[in-house]
Amino acid sequence: GGFTHSICIIDVIAKFSLVYYTRTTNATEFLRCLKWLKATVKLMNGADVKCIYCDSFSTYLSPHVIAPWSIKHGIEMTVSPPYRHDQNLSAEHLVHLFQIGCRQRLSQLIGLTFKGRIIRDPAPFFPWAGIHTNQCRNLLPNATLERTYSIVMSPLQAELDCINQPQRQVIIPFGCIGWVLLETLATGYEVFLYSFAIRICVKWGCYQPI
């Protein structure tokens, strides 16, 4: 708990998006995000992250924390100037959709009972609302991918390279009771506990958010 910030990440080719939560805007937390991103991409499709395009948020771009790690792993950090938001259009659009989706889902929790108490302030459920929002987005057909491949395709389908193998996906409405299997991943990658369920569900081709 205690997450107050989110970092939205999007693959410029597959349009697949990820959301990483932080408690502060320190560079060390951004470094954890980069490590998590590198491990997640490797786990999903075996690819290596080669380039990260981001805005010029000085809090995150510490030369003593981020630069040594990116150089060590051969990752190019390309920074967009603050007056050129158009160069970061995909991420800006994702942030906008993320904010709308979170508000819609959190409002649905008001009045529900959780652990014997009526939910009056849904703010503590912000991370779960964001994960559900992102999962839904990755399952929906994407217009850019449709123009590229001339077939109806979702970002998840493109990220997993299942271009000719559409999969049937199941997603539970936000706020419903669901079951999630949590298990330890013996891969050696740096991951967070709350992301285990997401990756396991991706592997199954079935999303079941908490």
Side-chain angles (χ1 to χ4, degrees):
F3 297 103
T4 56
H5 300 79
S6 61
I7 301 176
C8 296
I9 307 164
I10 187 168
D11 185 331
V12 295
I13 302 299
K15 302 305 177 183
F16 182 81
S17 57
L18 293 167
V19 179
Y20 184 90
Y21 293 94
T22 66
R23 295 179 176 86
T24 68
T25 57
N26 294 332
T28 52
E29 289 217 57
F30 184 53
L31 179 59
R32 294 193 193 102
C33 173
L34 296 180
K35 292 179 178 179
W36 174 82
L37 172 64
K38 183 176 182 294
T40 300
V41 172
K42 189 70 173 181
L43 185 64
M44 288 189 64
N45 55 27
D48 293 318
V49 177
K50 294 297 184 182
C51 179
I52 297 177
Y53 198 87
C54 60
D55 57 25
S56 55
F57 191 21
S58 59
T59 307
Y60 283 150
L61 300 178
S62 170
H64 305 293
V65 178
I66 306 301
W69 182 87
S70 60
I71 294 174
K72 177 182 177 181
H73 294 276
I75 299 177
E76 179 183 354
M77 300 291 293
T78 303
V79 180
S80 174
Y83 53 87
R84 291 299 305 272
H85 289 285
D86 58 299
Q87 294 184 354
N88 204 20
L89 184 59
S90 296
E92 296 288 347
H93 182 60
L94 176 61
V95 171
H96 177 66
L97 294 178
F98 180 76
Q99 292 174 341
I100 295 176
C102 283
R103 293 192 187 104
Q104 292 173 338
R105 285 160 175 79
L106 289 177
S107 64
Q108 298 174 9
L109 297 182
I110 299 176
L112 297 181
T113 301
F114 179 72
K115 293 185 177 180
R117 296 183 179 181
I118 297 178
I119 300 175
R120 304 188 187 281
D121 178 16
F125 298 92
F126 157 67
W128 302 113
I131 290 175
H132 190 273
T133 299
N134 189 59
Q135 289 175 344
C136 290
R137 180 202 167 276
N138 284 329
L139 292 177
L140 293 174
N142 184 277
T144 302
L145 295 176
E146 183 178 352
R147 290 193 296 268
T148 302
Y149 296 98
S150 300
I151 60 173
V152 178
M153 181 183 298
S154 68
L156 178 61
Q157 187 179 343
E159 185 70 17
L160 298 179
D161 199 23
C162 299
I163 298 177
N164 298 318
Q165 300 175 347
Q167 300 177 348
R168 180 183 178 184
Q169 305 292 341
V170 179
I171 189 162
I172 301 173
F174 187 69
C176 294
I177 297 176
W179 297 95
V180 176
L181 173 64
L182 298 178
E183 63 183 31
T184 303
L185 300 179
T187 59
Y189 297 130
E190 297 185 39
V191 292
F192 284 148
L193 288 175
Y194 71 83
S195 65
F196 283 177
I198 303 173
R199 276 195 292 277
I200 293 171
C201 291
V202 167
K203 182 177 180 181
W204 289 345
C206 176
Y207 276 72
Q208 295 182 346
I210 295 178

